[in-house]
Amino acid sequence: MHSIPMPPDKKEPARPSVERAALPLIVKIRQCIDQYGMLSNGDRVLAGVSGGPDSVALIHVLCELDKPLGIELGIAHFDHGLRPESAAREAEWVKQLAVSLGVAFYPGRLSKACNRGSLEAWLRQQRYGFLERTAKREGFSKIAVGHQANDNAEAVLMHLLRGSGIRGISGIPPVRGNRIVRPLIRVYRSEIIDYLKGLGIAWLNDPSNENVKFERNRIRHRLIPMLERDYKANLVQILNRTASLCFEEDRWIDKQLSPTLNAAILSIDAERMELATELLAKMERPVQRRILRSALKKWQGHLQRLTAAHIEQIIALLTMGNVARECHMPGRIRVERTTNSLIFSRRMGKAHGRVPMVPSPGESDYCYILKTAKDLPKRLSIREAGLRLTFTAVSDGTAEKVRSDNRNQAYFDLARLEFPLVVRNPEPGDRIAPFGMQGTQKLKKLYIDRKIPKAVRWQTPVLASGETILWAVGVRRGRQAAIGGRTEQMIHIVAEPLRRLNESMS
């Protein structure tokens, strides 16, 4: 990936002109930048620009403020690989925006087809990874992204619905790691649109933002409008005020507990962390939770996929006297209770000479992305689950075949499948709408009803579209994309153990 040089005859970039109607927005953003110390004189700032209204407003405002703030700008654009039919046009559009503003342009695109976690989490990880790599390679000291106040309100509700504590309700932090900054975090979506329209600035629309299969979009398009209509018209402002208060209190609590955190950590390196059992055991439960979360974040650099239930599981080890016990966490983390300490380590596979005692959720995570119908492979080997899926296009299948009781195969109406599809391991909270039944059912309950051993449930793949489970492979299919009288083309998927395949070939 290389920057796109400016045309040699372009001496003065066509920066957005400052108009009176736009000044209040720019002043508000400048105040936010100053309040949180986001940018300093001499910073080189890489702005993530998708082409949507938020990121377009972000780069235009930063161009207005670059001289007053003494900063240098660059634009990074990441192709997530989900819309191949429009991705090239979008990248070219953002490139031309960069050229018009006299800003260096750094394109990037998704290069891998699978990784750990859900599709949304995987894509977010890849996007931020691209931004971090580009910033490091090109010498940028800060990364600016376009989250705004409506995004913050949606995040607060999302975390609240998941049962998060004060840290989750704090919403999206204005600054993360003193590197990622969000100058628009106190600006509302309506203000951004008015700003762009007032200056005649164009932007791109992302159709995936309208897809209510995704939780955030359902909150944006269904839950918030309902709450605004029936309860509080200024709901977004209220949620942002709540987030701001929680954010300040959360930072204050962290500051007060910093000496306690340092005392609790006996040793820490890339592969191992040791915490003082005696000190932790004397703490009140709320302090234990916060110290454990803070220590894990310090060790890993993140808290992804660690839920409140996982923290409580670790705390339970503290009440077991001097008995040596252990538990397993997502990310191949092993937690061992000894007489004097809690030891966190990364479990190794056979190649490293150690084998996990019992597989647990989070062990050998995988997520294979099938972007379009054309990307459907003939065969997909999922070695993490010991299975191979075979995909066959069928146009003359009979009703008897389609309704077969064989749980290791499933038929889907190709025209009714919504791409991208993912094949991944189950996640906490997954639900399925079983074919032939009303309503939905927790995947966990389905596995229990089918007497699938707990130790191997994590292996069982699911085929999903967004948050919709199409098929719990080898267990039960969902009712989405079912074959009907108007079906013209089907996809027939068969699951077969890799072990059996290997034995037949030997």
Side-chain angles (χ1 to χ4, degrees), residues 327-341:
C327 63
H328 295 165
M329 299 287 110
R332 303 179 65 87
I333 295 174
R334 176 175 179 258
V335 188
E336 181 185 5
R337 161 69 194 273
T338 67
T339 303
N340 299 314
S341 61

Side-chain angles (χ1 to χ4, degrees), residues 52-64:
D54 301 336
S55 61
V56 168
L58 171 68
I59 189 59
H60 275 268
V61 171
L62 289 178
C63 282
E64 292 285 3

Side-chain angles (χ1 to χ4, degrees), residues 121-192:
W122 160 237
L123 293 177
R124 180 181 182 277
Q125 177 186 358
Q126 294 302 301
R127 180 170 65 253
Y128 276 99
F130 159 70
L131 291 173
E132 289 283 4
R133 289 191 302 273
T134 304
K136 183 177 181 180
R137 186 186 67 241
E138 303 296 336
F140 287 93
S141 53
K142 297 290 176 66
I143 296 171
V145 291
H147 292 111
Q148 32 82 350
N150 292 75
D151 295 323
N152 195 38
E154 293 158 10
V156 171
L157 276 178
M158 187 181 299
H159 288 130
L160 187 63
L161 293 172
R162 292 174 180 175
S164 296
I166 186 173
R167 182 157 294 174
I169 300 173
S170 297
I172 303 171
V175 179
R176 178 160 65 87
N178 198 33
R179 183 166 176 80
I180 295 176
V181 299
R182 299 179 170 96
L184 307 185
I185 199 64
R186 298 293 176 247
V187 175
Y188 296 96
R189 186 173 291 127
S190 58
E191 295 178 280
I192 291 171

Side-chain angles (χ1 to χ4, degrees), residues 82 213 370-374 376 414 417-421 465:
L82 298 182
K213 290 196 309 180
L370 309 174
K371 300 175 186 176
T372 68
K374 293 180 180 179
L376 288 176
L414 180 60
L417 284 175
E418 294 190 35
F419 288 83
L421 305 179
S465 173

Side-chain angles (χ1 to χ4, degrees), residues 6 15 61 67 69 72 84 89 98 145 277 280 293 297 311 351 355 359 380 424 442 467-468 492 503:
M6 296 301 106
R15 294 294 179 89
V61 171
K67 290 182 179 179
L69 290 172
E72 181 183 344
R89 293 196 303 271
V145 291
T277 303
L280 285 169
R293 288 176 60 86
K297 185 174 183 180
I311 299 298
V355 181
L380 176 63
R424 58 171 174 80
K442 281 189 175 182
E467 296 178 357
T468 302
H492 179 209
E503 289 174 353

